[in-house]
Amino acid sequence: MTSSNFTPTRMERLRQRGRLQTATHAHKLLKDKSDEMLRTFMQLIKQNQTLRERSEKDLTAALHLFMTASARLSTAAIDDALAAATRTVTVTYDTRNIMGLVVPYVEVQPDPHAVTPVLITTPTTFDSALNRLQNLTATLLELANIEKTCSMLAEEIQKVRRRINSLEYNMIPEIESNIKFITMKLDETQREAQVRTMKVKDLQNAGQ
């Protein structure tokens, strides 16, 4: 759709061409950004699937061991064992930048010197279950990081796509239409001027 909020002059055509160049460049940059973000998103989805499958497998195994061991322990013994089986971890919060999108990143670092105690009063299956569950902490936190990042990326990709579509289907066609309209008007004005010039010459020749 051609805008009517301008006068069809050569200066205006130059301005519109400048707008077209800027809009086309912005469209390319946004398209590249969208493609890169989509590539990163697909990579994270694959990582998410792998981590989820691994964590579900480990959690199922840990719960199976725990249920097997619990059948031989009283509730009080289980509570005492859980209270004794502690492990210190350090949790750090940071951010990452993905194509201009800042996403949160939380990392858990277990104490390298910490060892899950082997409890004399509990069967080995109970100790194995605790060890598996404690090792799951980092995996589950990484999974949460990836899922949060995927959610933010999906939202950002939609925003970028809307801007791309606005440029591709609205702004760029409108500017191109403006340039075409101005060129048509300038050509028309030039033809009218030529006609007037020819008429003036004809009148001058007739008066001689």
Side-chain angles (χ1 to χ4, degrees):
M1 180 180 296
T2 303
S3 174
S4 59
N5 298 325
F6 59 81
T7 303
T9 61
R10 287 184 173 81
M11 287 299 296
E12 180 60 31
R13 184 168 60 181
L14 286 175
R15 190 180 76 84
Q16 293 289 336
R17 284 175 175 171
R19 289 183 63 207
L20 179 60
Q21 184 177 3
T22 301
T24 303
H25 183 63
H27 179 272
K28 182 182 182 304
L29 291 178
L30 288 173
K31 188 68 169 58
D32 291 343
K33 179 179 180 179
S34 176
D35 292 344
E36 181 62 25
M37 293 179 77
L38 187 58
R39 186 187 65 82
T40 302
F41 180 79
M42 297 307 298
Q43 289 178 343
L44 289 174
I45 288 295
K46 291 181 180 179
Q47 292 179 24
N48 180 76
Q49 183 177 358
T50 300
L51 284 176
R52 180 172 288 278
E53 291 175 353
R54 188 175 76 192
S55 61
E56 289 178 353
K57 181 179 179 180
D58 290 345
L59 183 58
T60 299
L63 291 177
H64 178 72
L65 290 170
F66 183 78
M67 293 300 295
T68 302
S70 297
R72 300 169 52 188
L73 297 171
S74 65
T75 302
I78 292 175
D79 291 341
D80 291 341
L82 291 175
T86 59
R87 180 182 293 183
T88 303
V89 297
T90 301
V91 178
T92 57
Y93 173 83
D94 202 352
T95 58
R96 290 181 175 180
N97 190 306
I98 302 177
M99 298 298 294
L101 176 66
V102 179
V103 298
Y105 180 74
V106 180
E107 183 178 10
V108 59
Q109 298 174 333
D111 185 347
H113 304 293
V115 178
T116 302
V118 178
L119 305 176
I120 299 177
T121 58
T122 58
T124 56
T125 50
F126 188 89
D127 300 332
S128 297
L130 285 179
N131 192 53
R132 280 178 175 268
L133 288 173
Q134 289 174 335
N135 290 336
L136 265 174
T137 302
T139 302
L140 292 175
L141 194 52
E142 184 179 359
L143 185 61
N145 277 329
I146 290 177
E147 290 188 347
K148 179 61 177 178
T149 301
C150 284
S151 176
M152 295 179 68
L153 265 176
E155 184 176 350
E156 186 66 17
I157 288 172
Q158 289 181 345
K159 291 180 181 178
V160 173
R161 287 304 309 172
R162 285 196 291 268
R163 294 173 64 188
I164 291 173
N165 289 338
S166 178
L167 285 168
E168 186 172 344
Y169 298 109
N170 294 311
M171 179 174 285
I172 291 177
E174 179 181 346
I175 297 173
E176 289 175 339
S177 179
N178 289 342
I179 294 172
K180 184 177 180 180
F181 173 76
I182 293 171
T183 299
M184 181 186 68
K185 287 294 185 181
L186 290 175
D187 290 344
E188 183 180 333
T189 301
Q190 184 177 4
R191 285 194 299 270
E192 291 176 351
Q194 289 175 345
V195 170
R196 285 196 298 270
T197 301
M198 292 176 61
K199 287 183 177 180
V200 169
K201 287 183 177 180
D202 289 341
L203 290 174
Q204 290 175 345
N205 292 333
Q208 291 178 356

